[in-house]
Amino acid sequence: MTATARPGTLYGIGIGPGDPELLTLKAVRTIEACAVVCYPEARGSSGKVLAKDIATAALPGLAAKRSLGLHLPMTRDAAVLAANRDAAAAAICECLAAGDDVCFLTLGDPSIYSTYIYLHRLVAARGYSAAIVPGVTSFAAAAAELGDGLVDAEQPLHIVPGAYQEQGLELDGEGTSVLMKSGAAILGMLEQLKDLERRGGAVRIVENCSLPDQRIWRLDEITPEHKPGYFTIVVAKPAPCRPADAAGAWASPIQTD
Amino acid sequence: MTATARPGTLYGIGIGPGDPELLTLKAVRTIEACAVVCYPEARGSSGKVLAKDIATAALPGLAAKRSLGLHLPMTRDAAVLAANRDAAAAAICECLAAGDDVCFLTLGDPSIYSTYIYLHRLVAARGYSAAIVPGVTSFAAAAAELGDGLVDAEQPLHIVPGAYQEQGLELDGEGTSVLMKSGAAILGMLEQLKDLERRGGAVRIVENCSLPDQRIWRLDEITPEHKPGYFTIVVAKPAPCRPADAAGAWASPIQTD
């Protein structure tokens, strides 16, 4: 850091679920105003979902901007996770110290199960400014693709990460459950989901929501050998309490655009 | 409907929590392409939060577009609700039948506790096309304003409407709870929220998130005589399971922009 540089700010930008048109005006303006753009080098086991590609489709000028690819692979090894995050935060802070504003592109929204939030905390702990620009979540986008609401008026909505599903989740409570990142994790939930449907509930499965290879699965298509990829949203609605509520269980046709 | 007109499509547009910059590119493009824009005539008991005003700030051309104000006041009278919704759907279908595309502006996201979804179903039931454009939810925006994530990696996130709070909600489960539209409803939750803080949890309260009159409240400021308005989000985080997680309980300073 030179003696004269005013430190930059880190912006965690939610770029939405995949469709470049689901970036907000604020995301576009903030990315444009930052000197440096950074993003995880690869995200998702398929390697196909890249935050930078999505944002570049909305902002062609992004390709010419100085970029910082950060090595943040998914792992359950806590020491490796911490070391990678520290290294990424240090690389970001180096830019901030030089006076550059930095944006980090994250799929969906930064406050809901994002890797960004750990970098946000590390960078803030080093004394730099860090701000969040919210984005469209994948479950809101999945509901839009399915063409109906997620939850009826007086019911709660439960957002459940993949890891939690593996620990054994009860779907007997009130309200709708949204299971996130349900690629392999859905296998542990299959019997419960089928039972929910037998009891009058409704289950919908959206893989790669809002991306060109989006696919809507039926529950009975899924087997241990044939299952959707990592970026899969399962929406599990309870059986309607009153007959009038049945219209809420995807009575309207599925929207594909 | 003339014999020649091709029916229009209804678009339910999530315009985000209030900041006009939180409209998505898709929302802006879709609103611009529609011949008719409709919206609830007034929303919120204060009458200050108007979807049309927010969208007009992002799209000045909106003011010149043909508009349809719909009478959809909040009420618990099911017959009045149904009659108002039927009348609103009929007014929309009249435009669709004439061949006009219609957009309905809704705060936040259309799939999460919106009035729009009922019109969507009624319009679809009358045989017209209806599609949803997802938006940034108020709770994602509240997390951004508070400057940290909503939920730690392996925990569920519970979104709870105001009506459910009045029925008595347990905050003893795992994960973070977000209480929506908590103006008066928060009074029924005060003791539980204070108890959560005593046990090491963290509670944050954001009124009119992302609007010019946004205010962040402390729990101990709220009394039956002095409470936030209808558009209030409460985020209730559990006590951290592991000391390392404590950094997640809003260790970083609150972001106000």
Side-chain angles (χ1 to χ4, degrees):
Chain A
M1 185 174 177
T2 67
T4 51
R6 184 170 172 238
T9 294
L10 170 64
Y11 295 92
I13 314 269
I15 62 166
D19 178 350
E21 273 208 292
L22 292 179
L23 267 78
T24 65
L25 303 176
K26 187 170 185 175
V28 169
R29 177 181 60 81
T30 307
I31 295 168
E32 281 176 340
C34 284
V36 179
V37 56
C38 61
Y39 51 88
E41 267 175 350
R43 190 144 179 183
S45 52
S46 68
K48 284 191 295 186
V49 180
L50 292 170
K52 192 183 181 188
D53 293 343
I54 293 163
T56 303
L59 292 104
L62 191 61
K65 206 180 276 281
R66 184 147 64 94
S67 72
L68 200 60
L70 302 173
H71 185 62
L72 294 162
M74 285 179 287
T75 167
R76 298 202 174 185
D77 184 324
V80 171
L81 261 187
N84 286 335
R85 289 171 180 169
D86 279 339
I92 291 169
C93 287
E94 202 173 306
C95 298
L96 299 177
D100 290 328
D101 286 337
V102 175
C103 62
F104 182 101
L105 308 184
T106 191
L107 288 167
D109 174 74
S111 75
I112 301 175
Y113 310 121
S114 80
T115 292
Y116 167 73
I117 225 57
Y118 301 100
L119 302 182
H120 180 95
R121 293 172 186 164
L122 291 170
V123 165
R126 288 169 183 241
Y128 293 97
S129 296
I132 296 170
V133 177
V136 173
T137 63
S138 57
F139 53 87
E145 297 291 332
L146 292 167
D148 202 358
L150 281 174
V151 67
D152 275 334
E154 299 185 0
Q155 292 281 309
L157 173 64
H158 309 285
I159 314 298
V160 182
Y164 197 71
Q165 298 168 48
E166 292 168 23
Q167 292 161 28
L169 172 72
E170 300 298 325
L171 290 178
D172 298 333
E174 281 190 276
T176 295
S177 294
V178 171
L179 316 181
M180 307 276 288
K181 298 178 183 170
S182 289
I186 196 175
L187 296 177
M189 296 292 300
L190 269 186
E191 287 314 308
Q192 275 210 66
L193 291 167
K194 287 177 182 170
D195 185 56
L196 182 72
E197 283 208 324
R198 277 191 291 267
R199 288 184 281 123
V203 176
R204 292 293 183 279
I205 300 157
V206 186
E207 179 184 16
N208 293 331
C209 181
S210 90
L211 287 164
D213 58 350
Q214 170 179 303
R215 176 175 169 186
I216 295 176
W217 291 66
R218 290 194 322 272
L219 200 49
D220 63 11
E221 293 176 296
I222 296 173
T223 66
E225 295 75 34
H226 182 64
K227 57 184 187 294
Y230 181 72
F231 284 105
T232 294
I233 303 279
V234 179
V235 183
K237 283 191 186 185
C241 305
R242 298 164 295 189
D245 293 339
W250 293 290
S252 44
I254 283 172
Q255 307 292 334
T256 53
D257 180 20
Chain B
M1 185 173 177
T2 68
T4 51
R6 184 170 172 239
T9 294
L10 170 64
Y11 296 92
I13 315 269
I15 62 165
D19 178 351
E21 272 209 292
L22 292 178
L23 267 80
T24 66
L25 303 176
K26 186 170 184 175
V28 169
R29 177 181 60 79
T30 307
I31 295 168
E32 281 175 342
C34 283
V36 179
V37 57
C38 61
Y39 51 88
E41 266 175 350
R43 192 145 179 183
S45 53
S46 69
K48 285 190 295 185
V49 180
L50 293 170
K52 193 185 181 188
D53 294 342
I54 294 164
T56 303
L59 292 105
L62 191 61
K65 204 179 276 281
R66 184 148 63 95
S67 71
L68 201 60
L70 302 173
H71 185 62
L72 294 162
M74 287 179 287
T75 167
R76 298 203 173 183
D77 183 324
V80 171
L81 262 186
N84 285 336
R85 288 170 181 170
D86 279 339
I92 290 169
C93 288
E94 200 172 307
C95 297
L96 300 176
D100 290 327
D101 287 336
V102 176
C103 61
F104 182 102
L105 309 183
T106 190
L107 288 167
D109 175 75
S111 74
I112 301 176
Y113 310 121
S114 81
T115 292
Y116 168 74
I117 227 56
Y118 301 99
L119 302 181
H120 180 96
R121 293 172 187 164
L122 290 169
V123 165
R126 288 168 183 241
Y128 293 96
S129 296
I132 297 170
V133 177
V136 173
T137 63
S138 56
F139 53 87
E145 296 291 332
L146 292 167
D148 202 358
L150 280 175
V151 67
D152 275 334
E154 300 186 0
Q155 292 281 309
L157 173 65
H158 309 286
I159 313 298
V160 182
Y164 198 70
Q165 298 168 48
E166 292 168 24
Q167 292 161 29
L169 171 71
E170 300 298 326
L171 290 177
D172 298 332
E174 281 190 277
T176 296
S177 294
V178 171
L179 315 181
M180 307 276 288
K181 298 177 183 170
S182 289
I186 196 175
L187 295 177
M189 295 293 299
L190 270 186
E191 287 313 309
Q192 275 210 67
L193 291 167
K194 287 178 182 170
D195 185 56
L196 183 71
E197 283 207 326
R198 277 191 291 268
R199 288 184 281 121
V203 176
R204 292 291 184 280
I205 300 157
V206 186
E207 179 184 14
N208 293 331
C209 182
S210 90
L211 288 165
D213 57 349
Q214 169 179 302
R215 176 175 169 186
I216 296 177
W217 291 66
R218 292 194 320 273
L219 200 48
D220 62 11
E221 293 176 297
I222 297 173
T223 66
E225 295 74 34
H226 183 63
K227 55 184 188 292
Y230 181 73
F231 284 105
T232 294
I233 304 281
V234 179
V235 183
K237 283 191 185 184
C241 305
R242 298 164 294 189
D245 293 339
W250 292 292
S252 43
I254 284 172
Q255 306 291 334
T256 53
D257 179 21

Short mmCIF file of all heavy atoms in Angstrom, two decimals, chain B residues 188-237:
data_model
loop_
_atom_site.label_atom_id
_atom_site.label_comp_id
_atom_site.label_asym_id
_atom_site.label_seq_id
_atom_site.Cartn_x
_atom_site.Cartn_y
_atom_site.Cartn_z
N GLY B 188 -45.78 -10.03 19.40
CA GLY B 188 -46.03 -11.38 19.90
C GLY B 188 -44.77 -12.22 20.01
O GLY B 188 -44.78 -13.29 20.62
N MET B 189 -43.69 -11.76 19.41
CA MET B 189 -42.44 -12.51 19.40
C MET B 189 -41.37 -11.91 20.30
O MET B 189 -40.28 -12.47 20.44
CB MET B 189 -41.88 -12.54 17.96
CG MET B 189 -42.72 -13.27 16.95
SD MET B 189 -42.77 -15.04 17.29
CE MET B 189 -41.02 -15.47 17.14
N LEU B 190 -41.65 -10.76 20.90
CA LEU B 190 -40.60 -10.01 21.61
C LEU B 190 -39.89 -10.83 22.68
O LEU B 190 -38.65 -10.84 22.74
CB LEU B 190 -41.18 -8.75 22.27
CG LEU B 190 -41.19 -7.46 21.43
CD1 LEU B 190 -41.66 -6.31 22.31
CD2 LEU B 190 -39.82 -7.17 20.85
N GLU B 191 -40.66 -11.52 23.51
CA GLU B 191 -40.03 -12.24 24.62
C GLU B 191 -39.14 -13.36 24.09
O GLU B 191 -38.04 -13.59 24.59
CB GLU B 191 -41.08 -12.76 25.60
CG GLU B 191 -41.70 -11.65 26.44
CD GLU B 191 -40.65 -10.69 27.03
OE1 GLU B 191 -39.69 -11.18 27.65
OE2 GLU B 191 -40.79 -9.46 26.85
N GLN B 192 -39.63 -14.06 23.07
CA GLN B 192 -38.81 -15.14 22.48
C GLN B 192 -37.54 -14.60 21.86
O GLN B 192 -36.48 -15.21 21.96
CB GLN B 192 -39.62 -15.84 21.38
CG GLN B 192 -40.52 -16.92 21.90
CD GLN B 192 -40.68 -17.99 20.83
OE1 GLN B 192 -39.74 -18.71 20.48
NE2 GLN B 192 -41.86 -18.11 20.31
N LEU B 193 -37.64 -13.44 21.20
CA LEU B 193 -36.45 -12.87 20.56
C LEU B 193 -35.43 -12.42 21.62
O LEU B 193 -34.23 -12.63 21.48
CB LEU B 193 -36.86 -11.69 19.66
CG LEU B 193 -37.66 -12.08 18.41
CD1 LEU B 193 -38.28 -10.85 17.76
CD2 LEU B 193 -36.79 -12.83 17.40
N LYS B 194 -35.94 -11.82 22.70
CA LYS B 194 -35.03 -11.40 23.78
C LYS B 194 -34.36 -12.61 24.42
O LYS B 194 -33.17 -12.60 24.75
CB LYS B 194 -35.81 -10.60 24.84
CG LYS B 194 -36.19 -9.20 24.36
CD LYS B 194 -37.01 -8.45 25.40
CE LYS B 194 -37.42 -7.07 24.87
NZ LYS B 194 -38.40 -6.41 25.74
N ASP B 195 -35.14 -13.68 24.57
CA ASP B 195 -34.58 -14.90 25.15
C ASP B 195 -33.50 -15.47 24.24
O ASP B 195 -32.46 -15.95 24.71
CB ASP B 195 -35.71 -15.93 25.36
CG ASP B 195 -35.22 -17.17 26.07
OD1 ASP B 195 -34.66 -17.02 27.18
OD2 ASP B 195 -35.36 -18.27 25.51
N LEU B 196 -33.72 -15.41 22.93
CA LEU B 196 -32.71 -15.89 21.97
C LEU B 196 -31.41 -15.10 22.14
O LEU B 196 -30.31 -15.69 22.15
CB LEU B 196 -33.25 -15.73 20.55
CG LEU B 196 -32.34 -16.24 19.42
CD1 LEU B 196 -32.29 -17.76 19.42
CD2 LEU B 196 -32.82 -15.73 18.06
N GLU B 197 -31.52 -13.80 22.30
CA GLU B 197 -30.30 -13.00 22.50
C GLU B 197 -29.61 -13.35 23.82
O GLU B 197 -28.39 -13.42 23.87
CB GLU B 197 -30.63 -11.49 22.44
CG GLU B 197 -30.84 -11.00 21.03
CD GLU B 197 -30.53 -9.52 20.84
OE1 GLU B 197 -30.76 -8.72 21.78
OE2 GLU B 197 -30.06 -9.16 19.75
N ARG B 198 -30.41 -13.58 24.86
CA ARG B 198 -29.81 -13.96 26.15
C ARG B 198 -29.03 -15.26 26.03
O ARG B 198 -28.03 -15.46 26.71
CB ARG B 198 -30.91 -14.10 27.22
CG ARG B 198 -31.33 -12.78 27.86
CD ARG B 198 -32.22 -13.00 29.09
NE ARG B 198 -33.53 -13.54 28.73
CZ ARG B 198 -34.62 -12.80 28.49
NH1 ARG B 198 -34.56 -11.48 28.59
NH2 ARG B 198 -35.76 -13.36 28.16
N ARG B 199 -29.50 -16.14 25.14
CA ARG B 199 -28.83 -17.44 24.97
C ARG B 199 -27.66 -17.35 23.97
O ARG B 199 -27.10 -18.37 23.59
CB ARG B 199 -29.84 -18.49 24.50
CG ARG B 199 -30.81 -18.90 25.61
CD ARG B 199 -31.76 -20.02 25.17
NE ARG B 199 -32.87 -19.53 24.37
CZ ARG B 199 -33.14 -19.93 23.12
NH1 ARG B 199 -32.37 -20.83 22.54
NH2 ARG B 199 -34.16 -19.43 22.46
N GLY B 200 -27.32 -16.16 23.51
CA GLY B 200 -26.15 -16.01 22.65
C GLY B 200 -26.49 -15.85 21.18
O GLY B 200 -25.59 -15.75 20.34
N GLY B 201 -27.78 -15.85 20.85
CA GLY B 201 -28.18 -15.61 19.47
C GLY B 201 -28.07 -14.13 19.12
O GLY B 201 -27.66 -13.31 19.95
N ALA B 202 -28.40 -13.81 17.89
CA ALA B 202 -28.31 -12.41 17.44
C ALA B 202 -29.58 -12.07 16.69
O ALA B 202 -30.04 -12.83 15.85
CB ALA B 202 -27.09 -12.22 16.54
N VAL B 203 -30.16 -10.92 17.03
CA VAL B 203 -31.40 -10.47 16.39
C VAL B 203 -31.15 -9.11 15.75
O VAL B 203 -30.59 -8.21 16.38
CB VAL B 203 -32.55 -10.35 17.43
CG1 VAL B 203 -33.82 -9.80 16.78
CG2 VAL B 203 -32.82 -11.72 18.08
N ARG B 204 -31.54 -8.96 14.48
CA ARG B 204 -31.43 -7.68 13.79
C ARG B 204 -32.76 -7.35 13.14
O ARG B 204 -33.46 -8.27 12.67
CB ARG B 204 -30.34 -7.72 12.72
CG ARG B 204 -28.94 -7.85 13.25
CD ARG B 204 -28.48 -6.59 13.99
NE ARG B 204 -27.08 -6.70 14.43
CZ ARG B 204 -26.67 -7.35 15.51
NH1 ARG B 204 -27.55 -7.96 16.28
NH2 ARG B 204 -25.39 -7.39 15.82
N ILE B 205 -33.12 -6.09 13.13
CA ILE B 205 -34.45 -5.65 12.67
C ILE B 205 -34.27 -4.52 11.65
O ILE B 205 -33.65 -3.50 11.96
CB ILE B 205 -35.27 -5.14 13.88
CG1 ILE B 205 -35.44 -6.28 14.90
CG2 ILE B 205 -36.63 -4.60 13.43
CD1 ILE B 205 -35.73 -5.82 16.31
N VAL B 206 -34.79 -4.71 10.45
CA VAL B 206 -34.66 -3.70 9.39
C VAL B 206 -36.06 -3.31 8.92
O VAL B 206 -36.83 -4.14 8.44
CB VAL B 206 -33.84 -4.23 8.19
CG1 VAL B 206 -33.60 -3.10 7.18
CG2 VAL B 206 -32.52 -4.84 8.64
N GLU B 207 -36.38 -2.03 9.06
CA GLU B 207 -37.66 -1.49 8.61
C GLU B 207 -37.45 -0.78 7.27
O GLU B 207 -36.45 -0.08 7.07
CB GLU B 207 -38.16 -0.47 9.66
CG GLU B 207 -39.48 0.19 9.31
CD GLU B 207 -39.89 1.26 10.33
OE1 GLU B 207 -39.04 1.67 11.14
OE2 GLU B 207 -41.06 1.67 10.30
N ASN B 208 -38.39 -0.99 6.35
CA ASN B 208 -38.34 -0.33 5.03
C ASN B 208 -36.99 -0.50 4.34
O ASN B 208 -36.38 0.44 3.84
CB ASN B 208 -38.69 1.16 5.16
CG ASN B 208 -40.14 1.36 5.56
OD1 ASN B 208 -40.99 0.54 5.25
ND2 ASN B 208 -40.42 2.44 6.27
N CYS B 209 -36.56 -1.77 4.31
CA CYS B 209 -35.24 -2.11 3.78
C CYS B 209 -35.01 -1.54 2.38
O CYS B 209 -35.84 -1.73 1.49
CB CYS B 209 -35.11 -3.63 3.74
SG CYS B 209 -33.51 -4.15 3.15
N SER B 210 -33.91 -0.89 2.21
CA SER B 210 -33.40 -0.34 0.94
C SER B 210 -34.18 0.89 0.47
O SER B 210 -33.88 1.43 -0.59
CB SER B 210 -33.33 -1.41 -0.16
OG SER B 210 -34.53 -1.48 -0.91
N LEU B 211 -35.17 1.34 1.25
CA LEU B 211 -35.90 2.58 0.92
C LEU B 211 -35.22 3.77 1.61
O LEU B 211 -34.44 3.59 2.55
CB LEU B 211 -37.36 2.46 1.38
CG LEU B 211 -38.21 1.50 0.54
CD1 LEU B 211 -39.50 1.14 1.25
CD2 LEU B 211 -38.52 2.13 -0.82
N PRO B 212 -35.53 5.00 1.16
CA PRO B 212 -34.87 6.17 1.77
C PRO B 212 -35.10 6.26 3.28
O PRO B 212 -34.24 6.76 4.00
CB PRO B 212 -35.52 7.35 1.04
CG PRO B 212 -35.98 6.80 -0.26
CD PRO B 212 -36.39 5.37 0.03
N ASP B 213 -36.25 5.77 3.75
CA ASP B 213 -36.52 5.85 5.19
C ASP B 213 -36.19 4.55 5.92
O ASP B 213 -36.75 4.26 6.98
CB ASP B 213 -37.97 6.27 5.45
CG ASP B 213 -38.98 5.31 4.79
OD1 ASP B 213 -38.53 4.46 3.99
OD2 ASP B 213 -40.18 5.42 5.08
N GLN B 214 -35.26 3.77 5.36
CA GLN B 214 -34.83 2.55 6.05
C GLN B 214 -34.35 2.88 7.46
O GLN B 214 -33.68 3.88 7.68
CB GLN B 214 -33.69 1.89 5.26
CG GLN B 214 -33.00 0.76 6.06
CD GLN B 214 -31.89 0.11 5.27
OE1 GLN B 214 -32.13 -0.39 4.19
NE2 GLN B 214 -30.68 0.12 5.79
N ARG B 215 -34.70 2.00 8.40
CA ARG B 215 -34.21 2.16 9.77
C ARG B 215 -33.86 0.79 10.35
O ARG B 215 -34.63 -0.15 10.20
CB ARG B 215 -35.28 2.83 10.63
CG ARG B 215 -34.86 2.95 12.09
CD ARG B 215 -35.86 3.71 12.93
NE ARG B 215 -35.50 3.54 14.35
CZ ARG B 215 -36.22 3.97 15.37
NH1 ARG B 215 -37.33 4.63 15.16
NH2 ARG B 215 -35.82 3.76 16.61
N ILE B 216 -32.72 0.71 11.01
CA ILE B 216 -32.34 -0.52 11.70
C ILE B 216 -32.63 -0.33 13.18
O ILE B 216 -32.16 0.64 13.79
CB ILE B 216 -30.86 -0.87 11.42
CG1 ILE B 216 -30.70 -1.16 9.90
CG2 ILE B 216 -30.41 -2.06 12.26
CD1 ILE B 216 -29.30 -1.44 9.44
N TRP B 217 -33.47 -1.23 13.73
CA TRP B 217 -33.91 -1.12 15.12
C TRP B 217 -33.12 -2.10 16.00
O TRP B 217 -32.73 -3.17 15.55
CB TRP B 217 -35.39 -1.50 15.26
CG TRP B 217 -36.38 -0.57 14.65
CD1 TRP B 217 -36.55 -0.28 13.33
CD2 TRP B 217 -37.38 0.19 15.36
NE1 TRP B 217 -37.58 0.61 13.17
CE2 TRP B 217 -38.12 0.91 14.39
CE3 TRP B 217 -37.73 0.33 16.70
CZ2 TRP B 217 -39.18 1.74 14.73
CZ3 TRP B 217 -38.78 1.16 17.05
CH2 TRP B 217 -39.49 1.87 16.07
N ARG B 218 -32.96 -1.72 17.27
CA ARG B 218 -32.52 -2.68 18.28
C ARG B 218 -33.76 -3.25 18.95
O ARG B 218 -34.80 -2.59 19.06
CB ARG B 218 -31.65 -2.01 19.35
CG ARG B 218 -30.29 -1.52 18.88
CD ARG B 218 -29.40 -1.20 20.11
NE ARG B 218 -30.16 -0.54 21.17
CZ ARG B 218 -30.37 0.77 21.25
NH1 ARG B 218 -29.85 1.58 20.35
NH2 ARG B 218 -31.08 1.28 22.24
N LEU B 219 -33.63 -4.49 19.42
CA LEU B 219 -34.77 -5.17 20.04
C LEU B 219 -35.30 -4.36 21.23
O LEU B 219 -36.52 -4.25 21.43
CB LEU B 219 -34.31 -6.56 20.47
CG LEU B 219 -35.33 -7.64 20.72
CD1 LEU B 219 -36.35 -7.72 19.60
CD2 LEU B 219 -34.62 -8.97 20.91
N ASP B 220 -34.39 -3.79 22.01
CA ASP B 220 -34.84 -3.11 23.23
C ASP B 220 -35.47 -1.74 22.96
O ASP B 220 -35.92 -1.07 23.88
CB ASP B 220 -33.69 -3.00 24.26
CG ASP B 220 -32.52 -2.17 23.75
OD1 ASP B 220 -32.67 -1.51 22.69
OD2 ASP B 220 -31.47 -2.19 24.39
N GLU B 221 -35.52 -1.33 21.72
CA GLU B 221 -36.20 -0.08 21.38
C GLU B 221 -37.70 -0.29 21.16
O GLU B 221 -38.46 0.68 21.06
CB GLU B 221 -35.63 0.52 20.09
CG GLU B 221 -34.20 1.01 20.21
CD GLU B 221 -33.68 1.50 18.86
OE1 GLU B 221 -33.59 0.68 17.92
OE2 GLU B 221 -33.37 2.69 18.76
N ILE B 222 -38.11 -1.55 21.01
CA ILE B 222 -39.49 -1.82 20.57
C ILE B 222 -40.43 -2.02 21.76
O ILE B 222 -40.14 -2.80 22.68
CB ILE B 222 -39.51 -3.07 19.66
CG1 ILE B 222 -38.69 -2.76 18.40
CG2 ILE B 222 -40.94 -3.48 19.30
CD1 ILE B 222 -38.47 -3.93 17.49
N THR B 223 -41.53 -1.30 21.76
CA THR B 223 -42.57 -1.46 22.77
C THR B 223 -43.91 -1.46 22.04
O THR B 223 -43.98 -1.12 20.86
CB THR B 223 -42.57 -0.26 23.76
OG1 THR B 223 -42.96 0.92 23.04
CG2 THR B 223 -41.21 -0.05 24.40
N PRO B 224 -45.00 -1.82 22.75
CA PRO B 224 -46.31 -1.79 22.08
C PRO B 224 -46.63 -0.40 21.52
O PRO B 224 -47.31 -0.27 20.50
CB PRO B 224 -47.28 -2.16 23.22
CG PRO B 224 -46.46 -3.02 24.12
CD PRO B 224 -45.07 -2.44 24.09
N GLU B 225 -46.10 0.66 22.14
CA GLU B 225 -46.39 2.03 21.68
C GLU B 225 -45.42 2.48 20.60
O GLU B 225 -45.71 3.41 19.85
CB GLU B 225 -46.30 3.02 22.86
CG GLU B 225 -47.36 2.81 23.94
CD GLU B 225 -47.07 1.59 24.81
OE1 GLU B 225 -45.88 1.29 25.07
OE2 GLU B 225 -48.03 0.90 25.22
N HIS B 226 -44.26 1.86 20.55
CA HIS B 226 -43.18 2.34 19.66
C HIS B 226 -42.63 1.12 18.92
O HIS B 226 -41.81 0.37 19.46
CB HIS B 226 -42.10 3.00 20.52
CG HIS B 226 -40.98 3.59 19.72
ND1 HIS B 226 -41.16 4.63 18.83
CD2 HIS B 226 -39.64 3.28 19.66
CE1 HIS B 226 -39.99 4.94 18.27
NE2 HIS B 226 -39.06 4.12 18.75
N LYS B 227 -43.14 0.93 17.71
CA LYS B 227 -42.72 -0.26 16.97
C LYS B 227 -42.55 0.09 15.49
O LYS B 227 -43.10 1.09 15.01
CB LYS B 227 -43.76 -1.37 17.15
CG LYS B 227 -45.17 -0.97 16.77
CD LYS B 227 -46.15 -2.09 17.08
CE LYS B 227 -47.53 -1.78 16.51
NZ LYS B 227 -48.20 -0.65 17.22
N PRO B 228 -41.79 -0.74 14.77
CA PRO B 228 -41.58 -0.44 13.35
C PRO B 228 -42.85 -0.71 12.55
O PRO B 228 -43.80 -1.32 13.03
CB PRO B 228 -40.45 -1.40 12.96
CG PRO B 228 -40.50 -2.50 13.97
CD PRO B 228 -41.03 -1.91 15.23
N GLY B 229 -42.87 -0.23 11.30
CA GLY B 229 -44.03 -0.36 10.43
C GLY B 229 -44.13 -1.74 9.78
O GLY B 229 -43.32 -2.64 10.04
N TYR B 230 -45.13 -1.87 8.91
CA TYR B 230 -45.48 -3.15 8.30
C TYR B 230 -44.29 -3.82 7.59
O TYR B 230 -44.04 -5.02 7.76
CB TYR B 230 -46.63 -2.92 7.32
CG TYR B 230 -47.14 -4.16 6.63
CD1 TYR B 230 -47.89 -5.10 7.32
CD2 TYR B 230 -46.88 -4.37 5.28
CE1 TYR B 230 -48.37 -6.23 6.68
CE2 TYR B 230 -47.37 -5.49 4.63
CZ TYR B 230 -48.11 -6.42 5.33
OH TYR B 230 -48.57 -7.53 4.69
N PHE B 231 -43.53 -3.03 6.82
CA PHE B 231 -42.45 -3.62 6.02
C PHE B 231 -41.18 -3.74 6.86
O PHE B 231 -40.20 -3.03 6.65
CB PHE B 231 -42.20 -2.81 4.76
CG PHE B 231 -43.25 -3.05 3.71
CD1 PHE B 231 -44.22 -2.10 3.45
CD2 PHE B 231 -43.27 -4.25 3.00
CE1 PHE B 231 -45.20 -2.34 2.49
CE2 PHE B 231 -44.24 -4.49 2.04
CZ PHE B 231 -45.21 -3.54 1.79
N THR B 232 -41.22 -4.66 7.82
CA THR B 232 -40.10 -4.86 8.72
C THR B 232 -39.66 -6.32 8.68
O THR B 232 -40.49 -7.23 8.73
CB THR B 232 -40.50 -4.45 10.16
OG1 THR B 232 -40.74 -3.05 10.18
CG2 THR B 232 -39.41 -4.79 11.16
N ILE B 233 -38.36 -6.52 8.56
CA ILE B 233 -37.73 -7.84 8.52
C ILE B 233 -36.98 -8.05 9.82
O ILE B 233 -36.16 -7.20 10.20
CB ILE B 233 -36.67 -7.89 7.39
CG1 ILE B 233 -37.26 -7.52 6.05
CG2 ILE B 233 -35.95 -9.23 7.37
CD1 ILE B 233 -38.01 -8.60 5.39
N VAL B 234 -37.24 -9.16 10.49
CA VAL B 234 -36.45 -9.53 11.67
C VAL B 234 -35.60 -10.75 11.30
O VAL B 234 -36.13 -11.73 10.78
CB VAL B 234 -37.36 -9.89 12.86
CG1 VAL B 234 -36.52 -10.30 14.07
CG2 VAL B 234 -38.28 -8.71 13.21
N VAL B 235 -34.31 -10.66 11.54
CA VAL B 235 -33.42 -11.81 11.32
C VAL B 235 -32.99 -12.32 12.69
O VAL B 235 -32.41 -11.57 13.48
CB VAL B 235 -32.18 -11.43 10.49
CG1 VAL B 235 -31.33 -12.68 10.22
CG2 VAL B 235 -32.58 -10.76 9.18
N ALA B 236 -33.31 -13.57 12.98
CA ALA B 236 -33.00 -14.17 14.28
C ALA B 236 -32.04 -15.33 14.06
O ALA B 236 -32.42 -16.38 13.54
CB ALA B 236 -34.27 -14.65 14.97
N LYS B 237 -30.77 -15.09 14.45
CA LYS B 237 -29.74 -16.14 14.30
C LYS B 237 -29.57 -16.87 15.61
O LYS B 237 -29.55 -16.25 16.68
CB LYS B 237 -28.40 -15.50 13.94
CG LYS B 237 -28.27 -15.06 12.50
CD LYS B 237 -26.81 -14.71 12.21
CE LYS B 237 -26.67 -14.15 10.81
NZ LYS B 237 -25.27 -13.88 10.45
#
